[in-house]
């Protein structure tokens, strides 16, 4: 592992799924897992390819019920390339003797390189070197170069390249009772002596997929059509210690793409016109160079290497090409089939980073939400509410995709899934709109699409709140909070808990910000919005009341996660750790015992403490003050301590949020949780889940931990606010951001010395505000500040 590459030595079948996820290559349009091209999908390998936004819906029989699921489709596999020495079997690391094996993911150039030496015959060795790219400049291209070298022998080598349309979604064991056969009408053909094509379509969404492959080798290829595969075979003569090269270049299009007439025609035309591998690699490297400059990150040591890997995978999933697509933030990237490729609330952890580097991508991701605003309004009406009720899980069209049943692999039982009651996802969308506009100064978006979303989300919260005469406050009932463990009260016949603190406080924030925005809108736009939404001024008065009087429960001097949380039983944490070791998925353990986590004061991940992640201490205190509730520093620290001892960290996001919050509340313990967030995917701390897809929110969140968490950065009121909290373990770092039209503003912290460099331009000066001073930096100017203890 270095800052520029990620390396694996040796072949370990048990580690292949994890390595395939972490060696995935993508460009924002599509991605391909880092499986070996000579290996088919089996219990060890899973060579999936996923196109952003390409979903399909199927119905399955599960536990005696018909269950409908929409999946991100595993499209035809472009990768297959196998080989054998005459008289021998096809070589794979599972069936042949491997003398050496090494895989290197070159982060700076987006290139996956593998070197393997196979024993062939009695004393011969076949050395295989491959270089693979998913092209970052042209999002429809991928290329694979394979060099074969005969060591100590001569002979003939047969190479077979293929396009395989016989794939299915089978990468997640707990989904295997669900129908995963999404492709139909698979056809293959020949376009030229060196080019084959494959076309198919998805079964219900009717998305047409076209793929073409051009093979270049030292000998002509024999083409075979064996539906659902198109194969190209070539026979190469190997001389001792001489290398021969086979290049495979592939183009991929779907009917969702603009400016094409037919996906297959577009793929054939593109693959026939592109240059060779070397030229493709050169333009690919240039595109990556440009992206790295915009996302510059300088953190020393092992932490810096991991952060660079995280940044690499964020950029592969959400690249500048994403700005041209109608897609959301897939929680597990384009790296596998976990969560069925759905869009959750993870953009809450992703967009704050993108806002300051690739704002055009953030804007496109918010457009995804705006295009589904009408669907969210329909969902609210169906639930008996006004406004917009966004789904907890979203896919192609914005309907609620949360499954009604989920499998507990520990007990083998299918259980009701009530996570669709996590209506706080609407607040996350509103927060992302606000943060994007503050970071970019994009008032056009704020006054149009942003205002429309904020208004309808605020309307939903105000309509969901019910006034309680006894409390003298408004309540929001029947929800599920970020914790996810607690989806009902013990013994209750209906799902949902009441007055989740995170839900209520963020709802109050949405209402407050929306009222501020409506006051600030230019009069003509204000009038348009009022007319279009039939906004009643009596409604605004209600919003004002609700935003000041939502109920936030307390118990024993701490904020309650929800009403009644403090009345639940205490869990024997030490006893469960002794019995089970890893208790991150405590909910599954308890259910397998015939118990339920709903009975206990136990959280899966940060819930109340999410408030300290979203809001600075001063903003959070201001929110509580507006609600007429006390929240001093002592109360917040007690709350942090309370939940710190009652959280199992069953999500990769939990370590991130706790590290962020503790950096300001209890600095000595912060690094432990920061380390857990950094190690989440590379060490697969959730027990085999990374092999099913990376955790994109946690990866992006670690980047934002450096960018905003440790610097205390806020973008508000037209200024860049900084309040650094240097951790002893991470006291030196640097990065560049794009802020209000300024490209490449560089911030660096070395011990307690802060440097801010603003590149030359014709833009306005940047106002930088620290707790003890205000600095105004002109373009071309560098500010050097000493930070007192």
């Amino acid at each position: 592992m270095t800052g520029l590459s990620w390396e694996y030595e040796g072949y370990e079948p048990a580690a292949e799924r994890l390595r395939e996820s972490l060696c995935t290559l993508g460009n924002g349009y599509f991605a391909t897992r880092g499986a070996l091209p000579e290996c088919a999908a089996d219990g060890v390998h899973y060579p999936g390819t996923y196109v952003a936004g390409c979903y399909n819906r199927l119905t399955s029989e599960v536990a005696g019920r018909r269950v409908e699921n929409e999946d991100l489709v595993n499209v035809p596999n472009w990768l297959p390339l196998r080989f054998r020495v005459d008289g021998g079997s096809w070589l794979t690391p599972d069936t042949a003797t491997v003398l050496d094996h090494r895989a290197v993911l070159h982060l700076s150039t987006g290139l996956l390189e593998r070197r393997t030496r196979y024993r062939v015959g009695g004393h011969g060795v076949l050395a295989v070197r491959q270089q693979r790219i998913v092209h970052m400049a042209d999002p429809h291209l991928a290329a694979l170069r394979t060099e074969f070298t005969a060591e100590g022998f001569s002979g003939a080598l047969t190479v077979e390249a293929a396009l395989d349309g016989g794939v299915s979604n089978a990468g997640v064991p707990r989904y295997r009772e669900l129908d995963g056969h999404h492709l139909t009408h698979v056809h293959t053909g020949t376009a030229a002596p060196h080019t084959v094509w494959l076309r198919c379509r998805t079964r219900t969404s009717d998305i047409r997929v076209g793929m073409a492959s051009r093979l270049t080798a030292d000998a002509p290829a024999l083409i075979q059509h064996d539906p659902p595969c198109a194969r190209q075979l070539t026979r190469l003569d190997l001389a001792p210690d001489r290398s021969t090269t086979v290049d495979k270049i592939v183009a991929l299009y779907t009917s969702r793409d603009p400016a094409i007439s037919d996906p297959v025609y577009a793929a054939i035309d593109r693959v026939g016109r592109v240059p060779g591998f070397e030229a493709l690699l050169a333009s690919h490297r240039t595109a990556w160079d440009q992206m790295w400059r915009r996302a510059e990150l300088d953190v020393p040591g092992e932490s810096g290497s991991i952060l660079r890997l995280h940044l690499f995978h964020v950029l592969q999933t959400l690249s500048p090409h994403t700005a041209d697509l109608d897609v959301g933030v897939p929680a597990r990237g384009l790296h596998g089939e976990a969560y069925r490729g759905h869009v959750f609330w993870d953009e809450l952890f992703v967009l704050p980073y993108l806002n300051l580097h690739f704002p055009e991508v953030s804007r496109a991701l918010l457009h995804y939400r705006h295009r589904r605003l009408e669907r969210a309004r329909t969902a609210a009406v169906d639930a008996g509410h006004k406004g917009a009720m966004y789904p907890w899980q979203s896919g192609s069209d914005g309907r609620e995709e949360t499954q009604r049943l989920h499998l507990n692999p520990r007990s083998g039982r299918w259980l009701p899934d009530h996570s669709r009651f996590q209506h706080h996802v609407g607040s996350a969308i509103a927060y992302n709109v606000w943060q994007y506009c503050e970071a970019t100064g994009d008032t056009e978006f704020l006054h149009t699409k942003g205002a429309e979303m904020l208004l309808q989300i605020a309307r939903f919260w105000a309509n969901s709140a019910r006034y309680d005469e006894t409390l003298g406050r408004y309540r929001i009932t029947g929800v599920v909070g970020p914790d996810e463990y607690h989806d009902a009260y013990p013994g209750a016949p209906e799902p949902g808990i009441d007055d989740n603190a995170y839900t209520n406080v963020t709802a109050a924030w949405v209402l407050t910000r929306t009222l501020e925005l409506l006051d600030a809108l230019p009069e003509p736009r204000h009038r348009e919005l009022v007319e279009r939404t039939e906004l009643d001024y009596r409604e605004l008065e209600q919003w004002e009341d609700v935003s000041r009087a939502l109920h936030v429960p307390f118990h024993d001097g701490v904020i309650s996660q929800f009403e009644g949380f403090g009345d639940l039983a205490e869990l024997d944490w030490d006893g469960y750790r002794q019995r089970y070791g890893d208790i991150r998925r405590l909910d599954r353990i308890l259910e397998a015992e015939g118990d339920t986590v709903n009975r206990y004061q136990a959280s899966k991940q940060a819930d109340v403490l999410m408030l300290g992640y979203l809001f600075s201490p001063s903003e959070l205190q201001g929110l509580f003050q507006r609600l007429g509730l006390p929240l001093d520093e002592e109360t917040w620290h007690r709350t942090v301590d309370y939940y710190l001892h009652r959280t199992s960290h069953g999500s990769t996001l939990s370590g991130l949020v706790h590290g962020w919050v503790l950096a300001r509340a209890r600095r000595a313990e912060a690094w432990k949780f920061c380390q857990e967030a950094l190690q989440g995917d590379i060490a697969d701390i959730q027990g085999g889940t990374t092999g099913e897809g990376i955790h994109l929110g946690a990866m992006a969140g670690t980047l934002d931990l450096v960018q905003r968490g440790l610097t205390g950065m806020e973008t508000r009121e037209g200024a860049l606010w900084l309040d650094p909290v240097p951790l002893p373990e991470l006291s030196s770092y640097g990065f560049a951001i794009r802020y209000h039209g300024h490209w490449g503003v560089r911030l660096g912290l070395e011990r307690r010395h802060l440097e801010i460099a603003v590149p030359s331009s014709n833009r306005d000066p940047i106002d930088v505000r620290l707790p003890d001073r205000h600095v105004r930096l002109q373009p071309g100017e560098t500010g050097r500040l000493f930070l007192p203890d």
Side-chain angles (χ1 to χ4, degrees), residues 350-359 362 432 435-436 439-440 738:
V350 176
L351 264 64
Y353 178 80
L354 294 177
N355 291 341
L356 294 167
H357 299 276
F358 301 92
S362 291
N432 285 330
Q435 288 293 320
Y436 162 76
T440 62
R738 184 173 162 188

Side-chain angles (χ1 to χ4, degrees), residues 593-605:
E593 291 182 345
D595 204 346
T596 172
V597 74
N598 283 328
R599 296 181 56 234
Y600 300 98
Q601 295 181 43
S603 299
K604 174 185 176 184
Q605 58 188 315

Side-chain angles (χ1 to χ4, degrees), residues 63-135:
R65 295 177 58 179
R66 290 179 62 80
V67 177
E68 187 180 90
N69 283 287
E70 186 176 66
D71 294 285
L72 186 68
V73 175
N74 181 18
V75 300
N77 184 14
W78 67 270
L79 200 56
L81 191 142
R82 58 180 182 169
F83 39 86
R84 64 184 177 191
V85 176
D86 268 13
S89 302
W90 297 110
L91 297 173
T92 75
D94 303 305
T95 59
T97 300
V98 176
L99 302 178
D100 303 292
H101 180 73
R102 185 179 185 222
V104 182
L105 181 62
H106 297 278
L107 303 179
S108 59
T109 56
L111 181 142
L112 178 60
E113 179 182 16
R114 63 78 67 102
R115 295 175 183 265
T116 308
R117 297 175 70 242
Y118 285 109
R119 171 70 68 192
V120 293
H123 303 286
V125 173
L126 180 67
V128 181
R129 180 193 180 209
Q130 288 182 321
Q131 296 172 282
R132 184 193 313 179
I133 61 174
V134 173
H135 208 270

